Amino acid sequence: MGFTKNVLLVTFVIAIIGFQVSKGQPLVPIFCIFGDSVVDSGNNNGLYTIIKANFPPYGRDFVTHQPTGRFSNGKIATDFTVLKGVRCTEAMTAHCDEAQGKSACHMYMRPRTIFGNKFLIGANFASAGSGYSERTANLYRAISLTQQLAYYKDYQSKIAKMVGNDKANAMFSGGIHLLSAGNNDYLQNYYVNPNLYRQYTADQLADSLMTSFSNFVQTLYGVGVRRIGVTSLPPMGCLPAAITLFGAGSNQCIDRLNRDATSFNSKLNNCAQALQTNLPGLKLVVFDIYTPLLDMIAHPIDNGFFEARKACCGTGTIETSLLCNARSVGTCSNATQYVFWDGFHPSEAANQVLAGDLLTQGFPLIG
């Protein structure tokens, strides 16, 4: 689907959602986010880790023109979708106002003293550097999925104290819970760890990650969650950093890495289907980001972009986190022309296109 069609689709979907919210009929009561840097809105800012994005030029095209901890020049994909799917009451207006550059799902890693009404519309538990594997998160001192789930249970307890058990249970069962993980398990662990690479085939790794995914879903289900979305792996072999690190001098997508991603995605879909079958009342959607991102990379001009191989920040090869900084030589002046902002992450413009696919694919979660 071309860029123009995607924008029109997003506009159409947002118009429908906005109408329902204005009628006092929110699509979902809360939106909670788990996972890695693709959806982290700043939880890593206060962690002792080098995997951060709380410095320029990150955030330069954000509404505030300030770095927020998002791994983007501006908004991430969930910023374009979250605000449209939750109810913003009058008391929440300041927290739901997109013009102020605030996401409806607030970072959870804040001093506990400021926990308040804004968390009634959702929370973000994601941590850059995390993955399905505990080992991956530990390598980068990120918040593991296990710990993110512990924070979520703490969040549930606080919400229940604020609104009562019955209302809280309705919020948790009716709310959407989104997970983005897996990329780091491969690119920042498996492929760069000779011991792990020799110990497991990519297929065996995928099987072990499916166990972690299944445990994650079953844990959420056990605490009352019934609507879960999970993103697929992207075309890993087409990420600028992956081509630089593993492409042996080639300037093309690495087929081996993309095959690993498609194999993982196939297993993810099968696992999700089995979980839905075995867990009554569960709505579980696998969001395909592989196909739309690959289309942007293969046909940038058709999607409104100029550059799909190099990222905007620095030389566009391996820069991410500390390597993408205010002194990065060669950083582009107009990120809207680039599919990638840094070596691993899409630009705000690409995130907006991906958000359109997330919205349309997510309809089963709100039906």
Side-chain angles (χ1 to χ4, degrees):
M1 180 180 291
F3 178 77
T4 302
K5 290 182 179 179
N6 260 310
V7 172
L8 290 174
L9 179 59
V10 173
T11 303
F12 175 71
V13 172
I14 286 175
I16 294 175
I17 294 175
F19 174 78
Q20 288 188 274
V21 172
S22 68
K23 292 292 184 179
Q25 299 174 344
L27 293 178
V28 293
I30 60 169
F31 201 117
C32 291
I33 299 171
F34 305 85
D36 54 23
S37 60
V38 175
V39 290
D40 184 356
S41 58
N43 282 319
N44 272 28
N45 290 354
L47 297 184
Y48 186 70
T49 175
I50 63 171
I51 311 298
K52 295 183 181 182
N54 59 342
F55 47 83
Y58 287 104
R60 72 175 197 189
D61 300 314
F62 202 65
V63 177
T64 60
H65 303 292
Q66 297 294 323
T68 62
R70 291 166 172 80
F71 283 75
S72 171
N73 58 301
K75 296 177 182 177
I76 53 180
T78 47
D79 288 322
F80 290 104
T81 58
V82 169
L83 285 166
K84 311 306 178 184
V86 297
R87 181 176 185 175
C88 295
T89 64
E90 291 183 6
M92 306 298 168
T93 300
H95 302 294
C96 299
D97 187 353
E98 186 174 6
Q100 297 183 33
K102 297 181 179 180
S103 168
C105 286
H106 297 272
M107 296 172 288
Y108 195 70
M109 294 300 292
R110 297 274 194 162
R112 294 298 183 260
T113 54
I114 68 168
F115 191 97
N117 287 341
K118 65 181 180 179
F119 283 97
L120 289 173
I121 56 177
N124 189 323
F125 304 88
S127 174
S130 189
Y132 285 110
S133 169
E134 295 285 309
R135 183 184 302 177
T136 300
N138 292 339
L139 280 173
Y140 300 98
R141 296 180 179 271
I143 307 170
S144 68
L145 283 187
T146 299
Q147 186 59 54
Q148 289 179 39
L149 285 171
Y151 286 138
Y152 177 72
K153 292 176 182 178
D154 177 63
Y155 166 77
Q156 283 190 316
S157 298
K158 288 181 167 61
I159 295 298
K161 290 179 181 178
M162 293 172 67
V163 302
N165 288 330
D166 290 344
K167 185 175 181 180
N169 290 337
M171 291 169 61
F172 302 138
S173 63
I176 290 179
H177 297 70
L178 179 68
L179 169 65
S180 167
N183 213 33
N184 294 329
D185 294 303
Y186 285 89
L187 292 174
Q188 294 181 256
N189 190 2
Y190 179 68
Y191 292 137
V192 298
N193 186 336
N195 293 328
L196 194 61
Y197 193 79
R198 295 190 188 101
Q199 185 178 0
Y200 298 102
T201 65
D203 194 60
Q204 290 172 330
L205 175 67
D207 287 337
S208 70
L209 299 182
M210 286 306 106
T211 299
S212 297
F213 167 65
S214 179
N215 290 339
F216 177 87
V217 171
Q218 291 182 73
T219 299
L220 282 182
Y221 184 86
V223 293
V225 173
R226 293 297 181 268
R227 302 183 183 193
I228 302 173
V230 58
T231 60
S232 71
L233 285 184
M236 297 187 297
C238 296
L239 303 183
I243 294 175
T244 300
L245 292 171
F246 309 111
S250 169
N251 199 38
Q252 304 299 315
C253 295
I254 305 170
D255 290 339
R256 173 176 60 90
L257 271 60
N258 281 352
R259 286 196 299 270
D260 289 347
T262 55
S263 176
F264 174 94
N265 292 341
S266 177
K267 291 177 182 290
L268 185 66
N269 277 284
N270 291 338
C271 185
Q273 185 58 53
L275 286 165
Q276 280 201 112
T277 300
N278 295 325
L279 300 176
L282 175 66
K283 292 183 178 181
L284 178 55
V285 170
V286 176
F287 291 100
D288 173 24
I289 63 171
Y290 184 102
T291 302
L293 186 54
L294 184 62
D295 184 59
M296 281 187 269
I297 294 167
H299 309 287
I301 301 300
D302 293 342
N303 286 281
F305 298 97
F306 172 76
E307 177 61 68
R309 165 58 185 96
K310 292 183 179 180
C312 174
C313 188
T315 61
T317 53
I318 62 172
E319 288 90 352
T320 192
S321 193
L322 294 180
L323 295 179
C324 173
N325 57 65
R327 297 184 179 181
S328 296
V329 178
T331 297
C332 75
S333 60
N334 186 1
T336 61
Q337 298 178 349
Y338 286 69
V339 173
F340 293 99
W341 162 247
D342 64 21
F344 289 93
H345 303 96
S347 64
E348 178 184 84
N351 278 325
Q352 185 171 9
V353 177
L354 290 172
D357 290 276
L358 290 174
L359 283 168
T360 53
Q361 293 180 51
F363 277 131
L365 290 178
I366 55 180

